[in-house]
CSV table of all heavy atoms in Angstrom, one decimal:
chain,number,residue,atom,x,y,z
A,4,VAL,N,1.4,8.3,1.1
A,4,VAL,CA,1.6,9.6,0.5
A,4,VAL,C,1.9,10.7,1.7
A,4,VAL,O,1.0,10.7,2.7
A,4,VAL,CB,0.4,10.1,-0.2
A,4,VAL,CG1,0.6,11.5,-0.9
A,4,VAL,CG2,0.1,9.1,-1.4
A,44,ALA,N,8.3,26.7,-7.9
A,44,ALA,CA,9.0,25.5,-7.9
A,44,ALA,C,10.5,25.6,-7.8
A,44,ALA,O,11.1,26.5,-8.4
A,44,ALA,CB,8.7,24.7,-9.3
A,45,ASN,N,11.0,24.8,-6.8
A,45,ASN,CA,12.5,24.9,-6.6
A,45,ASN,C,13.1,23.5,-6.5
A,45,ASN,O,14.3,23.4,-6.5
A,45,ASN,CB,12.8,25.6,-5.3
A,45,ASN,CG,12.6,27.2,-5.4
A,45,ASN,OD1,13.1,27.7,-6.4
A,45,ASN,ND2,11.9,27.8,-4.5
A,54,THR,N,16.1,22.1,-16.5
A,54,THR,CA,15.9,22.3,-17.9
A,54,THR,C,15.5,21.0,-18.5
A,54,THR,O,16.3,20.1,-18.9
A,54,THR,CB,17.2,22.8,-18.6
A,54,THR,OG1,18.2,21.8,-18.3
A,54,THR,CG2,17.5,24.2,-18.2
A,58,THR,N,7.4,18.8,-17.7
A,58,THR,CA,7.4,18.9,-16.3
A,58,THR,C,5.9,18.7,-15.8
A,58,THR,O,5.0,18.5,-16.6
A,58,THR,CB,7.9,20.2,-15.8
A,58,THR,OG1,7.0,21.2,-16.2
A,58,THR,CG2,9.3,20.5,-16.4
A,59,LEU,N,5.7,18.9,-14.5
A,59,LEU,CA,4.4,18.8,-14.0
A,59,LEU,C,3.5,19.9,-14.5
A,59,LEU,O,2.3,19.7,-14.6
A,59,LEU,CB,4.4,18.9,-12.4
A,59,LEU,CG,3.1,18.7,-11.7
A,59,LEU,CD1,2.5,17.2,-12.0
A,59,LEU,CD2,3.2,18.9,-10.2
A,61,GLU,N,3.2,20.8,-17.6
A,61,GLU,CA,2.6,20.3,-18.9
A,61,GLU,C,1.5,19.3,-18.5
A,61,GLU,O,0.5,19.1,-19.1
A,61,GLU,CB,3.6,19.7,-19.8
A,61,GLU,CG,4.5,20.7,-20.5
A,61,GLU,CD,5.5,21.4,-19.6
A,61,GLU,OE1,6.0,20.8,-18.8
A,61,GLU,OE2,5.6,22.6,-19.8
A,78,PHE,N,20.3,8.2,-5.9
A,78,PHE,CA,20.0,6.9,-5.2
A,78,PHE,C,18.8,6.3,-5.8
A,78,PHE,O,18.2,5.3,-5.2
A,78,PHE,CB,19.8,7.1,-3.7
A,78,PHE,CG,21.0,7.7,-3.0
A,78,PHE,CD1,20.8,8.4,-1.9
A,78,PHE,CD2,22.3,7.4,-3.4
A,78,PHE,CE1,21.9,9.0,-1.2
A,78,PHE,CE2,23.4,7.9,-2.7
A,78,PHE,CZ,23.2,8.7,-1.7
A,100,LEU,N,-4.1,17.6,-9.9
A,100,LEU,CA,-3.2,17.0,-9.1
A,100,LEU,C,-3.7,15.6,-8.5
A,100,LEU,O,-2.9,14.6,-8.4
A,100,LEU,CB,-2.7,17.8,-7.9
A,100,LEU,CG,-1.5,17.3,-7.0
A,100,LEU,CD1,-0.3,17.1,-7.9
A,100,LEU,CD2,-1.3,18.3,-5.9
A,108,VAL,N,0.1,6.1,-7.7
A,108,VAL,CA,0.0,5.3,-6.5
A,108,VAL,C,0.3,3.8,-6.7
A,108,VAL,O,0.8,3.1,-5.8
A,108,VAL,CB,-1.4,5.4,-5.9
A,108,VAL,CG1,-1.6,6.8,-5.3
A,108,VAL,CG2,-2.5,5.0,-6.8
A,109,SER,N,0.0,3.3,-7.9
A,109,SER,CA,0.3,1.8,-8.1
A,109,SER,C,1.8,1.5,-8.4
A,109,SER,O,2.2,0.3,-8.4
A,109,SER,CB,-0.6,1.3,-9.3
A,109,SER,OG,-0.2,2.0,-10.5
A,113,ILE,N,6.3,5.0,-1.5
A,113,ILE,CA,6.1,6.2,-0.9
A,113,ILE,C,6.2,7.3,-1.9
A,113,ILE,O,6.9,7.5,-2.8
A,113,ILE,CB,7.3,6.5,0.1
A,113,ILE,CG1,7.3,5.4,1.2
A,113,ILE,CG2,7.2,7.9,0.7
A,113,ILE,CD1,8.5,5.5,2.2
A,143,GLU,N,11.6,29.5,15.6
A,143,GLU,CA,11.3,30.9,15.8
A,143,GLU,C,9.8,31.1,15.9
A,143,GLU,O,9.0,30.3,15.3
A,143,GLU,CB,11.9,31.7,14.8
A,143,GLU,CG,11.5,31.4,13.4
A,143,GLU,CD,12.3,32.1,12.3
A,143,GLU,OE1,13.5,32.2,12.4
A,143,GLU,OE2,11.6,32.6,11.3
A,147,ILE,N,6.6,29.0,14.1
A,147,ILE,CA,5.8,28.1,14.9
A,147,ILE,C,4.3,28.6,14.8
A,147,ILE,O,3.5,27.6,14.6
A,147,ILE,CB,6.2,28.2,16.4
A,147,ILE,CG1,7.7,27.6,16.6
A,147,ILE,CG2,5.2,27.5,17.3
A,147,ILE,CD1,8.3,27.9,17.9
A,185,GLU,N,7.3,20.0,20.9
A,185,GLU,CA,6.2,19.0,20.8
A,185,GLU,C,5.0,19.6,21.5
A,185,GLU,O,3.9,19.5,21.0
A,185,GLU,CB,6.6,17.7,21.3
A,185,GLU,CG,7.5,16.9,20.4
A,185,GLU,CD,7.9,15.5,20.8
A,185,GLU,OE1,7.8,15.3,22.0
A,185,GLU,OE2,8.1,14.7,19.9
A,205,ALA,N,25.8,22.3,-0.7
A,205,ALA,CA,25.2,21.2,-1.5
A,205,ALA,C,24.2,21.7,-2.5
A,205,ALA,O,24.2,21.3,-3.6
A,205,ALA,CB,24.6,20.1,-0.6
A,241,GLU,N,30.0,5.3,11.2
A,241,GLU,CA,31.2,5.8,11.9
A,241,GLU,C,31.8,6.9,11.1
A,241,GLU,O,31.8,6.8,9.8
A,241,GLU,CB,32.2,4.6,12.0
A,241,GLU,CG,31.8,3.5,13.0
A,241,GLU,CD,32.9,2.5,13.2
A,241,GLU,OE1,34.0,2.7,12.7
A,241,GLU,OE2,32.6,1.5,13.9
Side-chain angles (χ1 to χ4, degrees):
V4 180
N45 287 312
T54 54
T58 71
L59 187 61
E61 284 70 40
F78 300 149
L100 187 59
V108 292
S109 63
I113 297 177
E143 55 187 46
I147 293 170
E185 287 185 331
E241 293 185 4

